[in-house]
Amino acid sequence: MKKPIDREREVTTTGHVWDGIEELNNPLPRWWVWTLYATIIWGIGYAIAYPAWPLLTGATPGLLGFSTRAEVAADIAAVEASNAGMMTALAAVDLTTIDSSPELHGFAVNAGAAIFRANCSQCHGAGAAGGKGYPNLLDNDWLWGGAITDIAYTVTNGVRNEQSPDTRYSQMPAFGEILTPEEIQALVNHVLAISGQEHDAALATTGAALFAENCAVCHGEKAEGNREFGSPTLTDAIWLYGGDAKTLTQTVTLARFGVMPAWSQDYRGASGLNPAEINAVATYVHQLGGGE
Amino acid sequence: MSLPDAPPSLYAARQPVFPRRVKGAFRSLKWGIMAVTLGIYYLTPWIRWDRGPSLPDQAVLIDLSGRRFYFFWIEIWPHEFYFIAGLLIMAGLGLFLFTSALGRVWCGYACPQTVWTDLFILTERWVEGDRNARVRLYEAPWSLRKARLRLTKWVIWLLIGLATGGAWVFYFADAPTLLHDLISGQAALIAYTTMALLTMTTFFFGGIAREQVCIYACPWPRIQAAMMDEDTLTIGYRDWRGEPRGKARIEGHGDCVDCMACVNVCPMGIDIRDGQQMACITCGLCIDACDDVMEKTGKPRGLVDYFALKDEPIERAGGKPLPVWRHVLRPRTLLYTALWSMVGFGLVFALFIRSDIDLTVAPVRNPTFITLADGTIRNVYDIRLRNKRQTDQTFHLGVTSHDPFALQIQGADGDSVIVPADAVLEVRVYLSAGPDQRAALEDRTAVRIWVEDVESDNRAYQDTSFTGTGKDTNGGDHD
């Protein structure tokens, strides 16, 4: 039978007619169809060679044994191997002179930034600006010292930490059990006065005597603080918990007991940091703008 | 509904095309364009250009690892990628312009697919002979001679492909060094992979797929229809002159002697006498072929010719067609020309006002400000300083605002820093405002950070802002 022809267009039709409407046949190129078959065959081969079909716990593994997880693990291992030399140098470095080796310093800052984000940012914030009760590491005020070795020591041993015998330790008494509320108000007004805030002058004068008697031993006679006990300066613009009358009253009455992990120790199955990592994070924190 | 006894196939095998050799004005033009375009492509990487000791001496080089694009006296950095974007926009507008004025002139003369296919057909003709010989060889059963000819052709095609892929990688590395490394087997794996891939695609597209690429794979033929109108010059057949076609001696026949010359020379394997069609790339070879026949039969040239659809009714009525410039010069092409020139002038202008020194400022937003022990407010900025000169330069940073600020570069003495030659230096910069300054108490203060190359006096700046405690916003006292 001769193919039906749409005369005007000189195109064959498929022979299908509905209510006088014919379906034209503009044939696809044959290689195109072969390409389709080729992709199907490729797809079958791919599904056999690579992980493909989802199962209850995972997927069919594929003959080539390919795994994205294994690839990532291999990539990480390769990076760690290529960093091994730097990490060894970092573990043994004298932190006070790390500035003199720009390459090692740059490596430490980058590695330290990664370690900081993973381990420290939960309390100190991703930008290291801290929060109420968690020190801001960007400013020039340090409870336990802002030299790079001081920072490394704090990271290694933690603050008020039970795991490390060398931890930074001090304990402020809860003056609510020692002084009367009126005396505490006087004390608070004295602290407001020496930090340049609005205060009651009469109460502040009473408070000055109370301060010399109860607080100066740790905070210093001029309230300049003492890094030996991690006792803060009370005359500056920086407050760990807050410098207003209400917060100060709370602090004096109940005391504060901020803690920090000793990062050289493992804790509850989570591994701590090795010496190279501690040196890296100390270098990172030291160069954030407040280091001494 | 009715069903035929045997439905026709929905798939059609490719009809092989054996273009015949042709001589003429358009063929010569195409040879010329082929020589120029291929010459530019293959030879450009070998042009040398002295830029001094520390920079590559290749005139055109895309240095991916160094993140530089060198073009003779121009050096483009990644942040100046708008030049490339601008060139691409110009290429697009240029295609619009040429298509609306001259139809598919790009497809017919300058498209790499056309140029390389032309080159492949040329080698095919050298090895296997002209059209009739090739048809005979195609239909002949396999023999030693056929195998020898086919093999010779394929080897030449592969060599052309290899040269094509090879030329490509030379744009990305120092060409003489890379050629030496490629031959001695020391080049990077990616160089070999790229070459192998481009060799195979050149061989396949130019040798095997040819017109199938234009008809089925390329989106451009489908888009072009939107840019053409009845003033666009396209190739057509003057059927009012040619029909009814047939032997010239017989009375009543038109000028077309139905010699099939136009069909036989067509690289797309179409018959232009069927009218305008998507598969026509307007290469002009059918014009050359037909003019040749018209001269032999003593008829005027131009039975197959470039003309605009607008002329068709005029010519049918016996009138003279409009002059070409009346077709080409029209609002649409003028608009495309204006846009194209605007982008071009913009790029040239941008090129001339480029500075050797540049900075970008990214204020650190976590936290927005830092309070120091004495109440000073500090803002931190990550600043990238670009030194495009070939010597190390001392850059001096400064700040202007309605409030005085102290500026300190971390790790540097004060506000000056040495930026290495042809490099970007990232520095952290602190701006500080004393506890009682307006900037410390306000929410935001506008600041302009300057960088000055002490030696050349070049300056650049970027505007940013300084964040304070906000205690004094709206006249103060609000917290």
Side-chain angles (χ1 to χ4, degrees):
Chain A
M1 175 191 152
K2 201 169 179 261
K3 290 171 193 166
I5 299 276
D6 175 72
R7 295 205 179 279
E8 199 172 323
R9 296 165 188 248
E10 296 181 356
V11 172
T12 61
T13 73
T14 57
H16 300 170
V17 183
W18 291 269
D19 293 344
I21 300 168
E22 288 180 291
E23 185 184 17
L24 297 182
N25 178 24
N26 287 294
L28 271 179
R30 178 150 283 147
W31 61 261
W32 194 307
V33 186
W34 290 342
T35 313
L36 175 67
Y37 295 152
T39 56
I40 292 171
I41 292 165
W42 174 268
I44 293 169
Y46 194 89
I48 294 168
Y50 283 90
W53 298 102
L55 303 174
L56 282 180
T57 57
T60 51
L63 286 181
L64 295 182
F66 173 84
S67 149
T68 44
R69 280 169 192 274
E71 267 205 345
V72 171
D75 283 352
I76 292 173
V79 169
E80 280 178 353
S82 74
N83 283 346
M86 288 300 246
M87 288 303 267
T88 312
L90 198 53
V93 75
D94 173 8
L95 280 176
T96 51
T97 60
I98 193 169
D99 267 353
S100 58
S101 163
E103 197 193 356
L104 189 60
H105 185 261
F107 177 82
V109 170
N110 284 322
I115 293 162
F116 187 90
R117 277 194 293 273
N119 298 289
C120 316
S121 62
Q122 292 86 339
C123 293
H124 289 286
K132 187 176 177 180
Y134 303 107
N136 183 335
L137 306 175
L138 304 169
D139 60 32
N140 56 351
D141 186 35
W142 297 89
L143 292 170
W144 301 96
I148 191 164
T149 44
D150 292 335
I151 297 169
Y153 186 96
T154 306
V155 175
T156 305
N157 298 300
V159 176
R160 301 183 185 94
N161 186 285
E162 292 165 4
Q163 280 184 297
S164 169
D166 298 321
T167 193
R168 306 273 195 194
Y169 195 89
S170 67
Q171 190 170 355
M172 176 172 168
F175 283 93
E177 297 164 8
I178 300 167
L179 303 173
T180 66
E182 291 73 25
E183 287 172 319
I184 289 175
Q185 273 318 298
L187 209 45
V188 165
N189 271 279
H190 171 67
V191 173
L192 288 172
I194 58 177
S195 58
Q197 303 184 72
E198 276 180 46
H199 59 276
D200 183 320
L203 279 176
T205 317
T206 323
L210 284 164
F211 185 88
E213 203 174 303
N214 295 287
C215 316
V217 65
C218 289
H219 287 284
E221 279 178 38
K222 292 174 181 164
E224 70 275 17
N226 187 338
R227 288 180 174 179
E228 201 133 323
F229 311 117
S231 54
T233 313
L234 302 177
T235 55
D236 65 12
I238 295 170
W239 299 93
L240 184 54
Y241 294 89
D244 57 296
K246 193 180 158 200
T247 312
L248 286 174
T249 308
Q250 199 178 32
T251 302
V252 175
T253 309
L254 303 171
R256 302 288 183 181
F257 195 75
V259 297
M260 171 173 156
W263 286 98
S264 58
Q265 315 279 331
D266 295 345
Y267 183 67
R268 287 189 183 169
S271 59
L273 303 175
N274 64 38
E277 290 170 327
I278 288 174
N279 283 348
V281 83
T283 310
Y284 170 73
V285 169
H286 183 254
Q287 58 84 56
L288 282 173
E292 293 169 348
Chain B
M1 183 177 155
S2 68
L3 279 170
D5 303 332
S9 172
L10 298 174
Y11 311 112
R14 178 195 174 219
Q15 298 298 318
V17 182
F18 305 96
R20 179 169 72 74
R21 203 164 79 104
V22 63
K23 275 184 180 161
F26 289 105
R27 182 64 266 184
S28 304
L29 180 63
K30 275 171 71 76
W31 288 138
I33 291 174
M34 182 200 279
V36 171
T37 50
L38 290 184
I40 290 173
Y41 176 73
Y42 287 117
L43 298 180
T44 302
W46 298 93
I47 306 172
R48 303 288 101 184
W49 191 270
D50 185 20
R51 293 191 184 85
S54 60
L55 287 179
D57 62 350
Q58 186 159 318
V60 178
L61 178 68
I62 302 160
D63 181 2
L64 287 180
S65 58
R67 296 177 191 174
R68 296 284 185 279
F69 172 53
Y70 300 98
F71 183 83
F72 295 91
W73 65 96
I74 301 169
E75 182 186 335
I76 291 187
W77 288 40
H79 71 287
E80 293 166 322
F81 199 76
Y82 54 83
F83 281 112
I84 311 294
L87 286 175
L88 289 174
I89 291 170
M90 283 181 76
L93 288 171
L95 275 174
F96 292 0
L97 171 63
F98 278 103
T99 304
S100 67
L102 304 172
R104 296 179 62 183
V105 68
W106 163 259
C107 302
Y109 299 89
C111 174
Q113 174 66 23
T114 296
V115 173
W116 263 283
T117 300
D118 224 9
L119 184 63
F120 274 52
I121 291 174
L122 179 70
T123 50
E124 186 171 77
R125 195 181 296 136
W126 278 343
V127 176
E128 298 179 348
D130 207 0
R131 174 179 158 82
N132 292 340
R134 298 215 300 282
V135 173
R136 274 200 303 278
L137 188 68
Y138 175 74
E139 285 167 352
W142 278 98
S143 65
L144 208 60
R145 178 175 168 275
K146 184 168 178 173
R148 181 174 56 80
L149 290 176
R150 282 277 195 269
L151 210 62
T152 314
K153 179 176 79 174
W154 289 338
V155 167
I156 297 175
W157 281 358
L158 272 176
L159 288 175
I160 296 174
L162 193 65
T164 308
W168 180 267
V169 297
F170 290 146
Y171 283 89
F172 294 86
D174 183 58
T177 318
L178 182 57
L179 181 65
H180 176 267
D181 289 352
L182 283 170
I183 293 169
S184 60
Q186 294 167 342
L189 181 65
I190 186 72
Y192 291 110
T193 319
T194 309
M195 277 179 72
L197 210 67
L198 287 175
T199 303
M200 293 323 292
T201 50
T202 310
F203 181 91
F204 182 74
F205 287 151
I208 314 289
R210 292 187 182 172
E211 82 287 347
Q212 300 286 305
V213 173
C214 308
I215 298 172
Y216 294 110
C218 181
W220 187 233
R222 323 263 161 174
I223 302 168
Q224 275 169 324
M227 288 153 210
M228 289 160 63
D229 52 33
E230 51 280 15
D231 271 316
T232 303
L233 291 176
T234 54
I235 293 175
Y237 165 63
R238 295 194 157 98
D239 62 2
W240 56 94
R241 238 187 82 186
E243 297 298 317
R245 60 185 83 156
K247 286 210 169 73
R249 286 189 298 272
I250 297 172
E251 197 64 29
H253 275 176
D255 287 352
C256 176
V257 293
D258 208 9
C259 63
M260 302 297 277
C262 56
V263 178
N264 291 342
V265 299
C266 180
M268 303 298 289
I270 58 168
D271 188 342
I272 192 66
R273 295 171 299 174
D274 291 342
Q276 272 196 32
Q277 48 206 294
M278 202 201 70
C280 176
I281 58 169
T282 72
C283 63
L285 296 185
C286 49
I287 303 178
D288 282 344
C290 190
D291 281 349
D292 196 30
V293 174
M294 287 298 108
E295 292 209 340
K296 281 179 189 153
T297 57
K299 297 276 165 52
R301 296 159 70 103
L303 181 59
V304 177
D305 200 2
Y306 270 105
F307 61 84
L309 284 182
K310 209 178 194 177
D311 287 337
E312 191 182 325
I314 302 173
E315 287 196 28
R316 275 184 194 279
K320 284 195 75 110
L322 296 168
V324 170
W325 67 267
R326 290 273 301 272
H327 291 303
V328 172
L329 287 185
R330 56 186 201 275
R332 180 179 195 148
T333 54
L334 293 176
L335 176 71
Y336 287 147
T337 312
L339 288 174
W340 188 83
S341 316
M342 264 167 54
V343 180
F345 282 124
L347 286 183
V348 172
F349 182 69
L351 202 59
F352 276 109
I353 62 162
R354 283 201 309 175
S355 163
D356 284 345
I357 176 173
D358 196 7
L359 84 164
T360 52
V361 178
V364 173
R365 291 290 184 221
N366 181 14
T368 49
F369 67 86
I370 299 157
T371 308
L372 299 184
D374 64 355
T376 297
I377 301 299
R378 171 193 274 182
N379 275 207
V380 185
Y381 302 85
D382 286 327
I383 297 188
R384 295 164 72 88
L385 299 168
R386 301 194 184 93
N387 176 14
K388 297 184 200 164
R389 300 180 70 188
Q390 297 316 314
T391 46
D392 294 1
Q393 295 296 320
T394 303
F395 279 18
H396 179 84
L397 282 175
V399 56
T400 49
S401 179
H402 64 66
D403 223 18
F405 287 100
L407 185 149
Q408 164 72 35
I409 302 173
Q410 189 188 48
D413 266 343
D415 50 11
S416 289
V417 66
I418 294 169
V419 184
D422 193 50
V424 182
L425 183 71
E426 263 186 80
V427 291
R428 194 183 295 152
V429 169
Y430 303 121
L431 288 190
S432 304
D436 303 321
Q437 270 182 239
R438 265 171 67 189
L441 301 172
E442 279 179 355
D443 198 20
R444 284 279 171 82
T445 306
V447 295
R448 172 168 292 184
I449 295 182
W450 288 91
V451 60
E452 183 180 8
D453 178 351
V454 180
E455 189 189 302
S456 73
D457 245 16
N458 271 337
R459 279 156 75 89
Y461 67 83
Q462 193 180 323
D463 289 330
T464 180
S465 65
F466 181 92
T467 309
T469 57
K471 281 179 186 153
D472 218 14
T473 314
N474 305 324
D477 270 303
H478 76 106
D479 69 341

